[in-house]
Amino acid sequence: MNTERNKGRLAYMTEPGSLEIRDYDLPTDIEPGAALLEVLQTNVCGSEVHIFQGKHPLFRCGGLGHEMVGKVLALGEALSTDSAGTPVAVGDRVVPIYHAVCGHCENCVRGIPNACVLSYHHFAKTHLRPHFHGGTFATHYYLHADQPFFRVPENVSDAAASAANCALSQVLHGLDRANLTLGQTFVIQGAGGLGLSAAAVAKERGARVIVIDRVAERLQLAKAFGADHLVNFDQVTELADRVKLVQQIAGAEGADVVM
Ligand SMILES: [Zn+2]
Ligand SMILES: [Zn+2]
C-alpha cells in the first residue's frame, strides 16, 4: 500500500508478459453518477492469463483485472442508490459491472446491454485519467457513471462477491438463456472459474450436474460446488466412452444442456 493518502497504485502491463507498478494521484473530482472505490479483493480471471500471455484478440497493453469487490470512498453528485435502487453510502461494499453500458446503442436498445458497442470504453485504459478505471489490479477503482453496480449484502463475503461480476454473472446469464430447469442433465466441460460457478448455479436450479476435467483437484472443487458426477478425462480417454457415461446418467438422449 502507498503511504500517501492521496495516491494509489496499480499494475500496468506494458506488453504481454511484462508488468509495471505505477503510482498515480487519486481523482478528487468525482463526476456526477460516478464513485471512487477502494479495491478490497480482486481475482485473477482466466482472461487475465490470456491477456498476459498475449493471446487476447484486443489487448496488448494496459491495466489488468476486472473481477472485484470494492468499498465506496466517495460518491459523485446525484448518486445515492445502486443500479437496482438499493441505497448506497460511503463505506458500503459494491461490485461494478466491469464494462460500460451506454444505454443508447443498438445493442443496449435491443435489450442486450452485455453486448454494448461501447463496452470497452474504459477497459484497461489505466494510462489515461482518472487512471484507476478499467483495471482492478490496483488499490483503487473509479466507477464511471455508465457502469452499473450493486451493493453487496452484509452476509456475502468478499471472496464470494469478487467473482460475481464475471464468472458467476456469465453463467447465470448463460444458463438463463439455455433455460436450464429442474431435473435436466447438465454437462460442464472444464472446471475452471466459470465451470465451478456453473456447477453451483445449476445445482441451485435443480439440475443433475456432470463435470468433466482432467485435473483431480479441480474435480474435487467441482464436487464441493455441487457436481453430482465427475468424469476424469484422463481416466476415460475415448470420446465414445465419455458419451456412453453421460448416457448412463442422463438416459439415451444424453445431456439437456452442455457448457
Ligand atoms: Zn473474468
Ligand atoms: Zn450500448
Side-chain angles (χ1 to χ4, degrees):
M1 275 299 281
N2 201 300
T3 47
E4 283 182 69
R5 293 192 69 182
N6 57 349
K7 279 196 182 288
R9 180 165 281 188
L10 58 84
Y12 186 87
M13 188 180 82
T14 51
E15 59 183 325
S18 174
L19 276 186
E20 201 172 270
I21 301 300
R22 294 184 172 181
D23 293 318
Y24 290 108
D25 289 338
L26 293 177
T28 48
D29 48 338
I30 314 296
E31 295 160 298
L36 181 66
L37 313 180
E38 177 191 341
V39 177
L40 298 176
Q41 177 163 339
T42 178
N43 298 358
V44 179
C45 176
S47 300
E48 260 74 56
V49 179
H50 296 151
I51 294 171
F52 195 64
Q53 291 172 338
K55 292 177 183 167
H56 196 281
L58 296 177
F59 300 110
R60 287 286 176 274
C61 62
L64 294 178
H66 55 277
E67 296 188 3
M68 70 161 282
V69 54
K71 185 169 87 176
V72 177
L73 295 183
L75 289 166
E77 202 188 304
L79 192 59
S80 58
T81 68
D82 71 7
S83 304
T86 306
V88 280
V90 168
D92 283 347
R93 291 181 307 146
V94 297
V95 169
I97 287 181
Y98 61 80
H99 53 82
V101 175
C102 79
H104 307 294
C105 73
E106 190 184 334
N107 289 341
C108 281
V109 171
R110 281 170 63 205
I112 44 170
N114 50 307
C116 174
V117 299
L118 293 176
S119 56
Y120 284 134
H121 196 45
H122 315 295
F123 199 78
K125 293 187 181 138
T126 54
H127 58 294
L128 301 175
R129 283 175 193 277
H131 302 299
F132 298 94
H133 61 167
T136 60
F137 291 179
T139 55
H140 296 78
Y141 188 82
Y142 187 90
L143 175 76
H144 286 276
D146 57 5
Q147 287 177 266
F149 71 100
F150 301 94
R151 190 168 74 83
V152 179
E154 295 276 322
N155 62 343
V156 177
S157 67
D158 288 347
S162 62
N165 69 342
C166 181
L168 181 62
S169 60
Q170 286 182 34
V171 297
L172 278 167
H173 187 65
L175 294 180
D176 264 352
R177 290 190 63 173
N179 201 17
L180 182 75
T181 55
L182 187 73
Q184 288 189 318
T185 302
F186 177 43
V187 172
I188 300 168
Q189 306 193 91
L194 273 79
L196 293 172
S197 299
V201 172
K203 194 68 192 164
E204 277 293 306
R205 295 173 80 125
R208 193 188 291 134
V209 181
I210 304 170
V211 178
I212 305 175
D213 203 286
R214 64 167 17 129
V215 182
E217 291 88 341
R218 283 179 159 209
L219 286 169
Q220 284 318 306
L221 267 178
K223 195 167 187 186
F225 274 70
D228 299 297
H229 302 274
L230 307 173
V231 178
N232 189 324
F233 205 83
D234 282 341
Q235 285 161 13
V236 193
T237 52
E238 292 301 318
L239 173 65
D241 293 336
R242 292 196 294 276
V243 171
K244 237 184 262 168
L245 246 174
V246 170
Q247 282 174 325
Q248 276 170 19
I249 298 163
E253 277 148 39
D256 298 288
V257 179
V258 177
M259 185 185 112

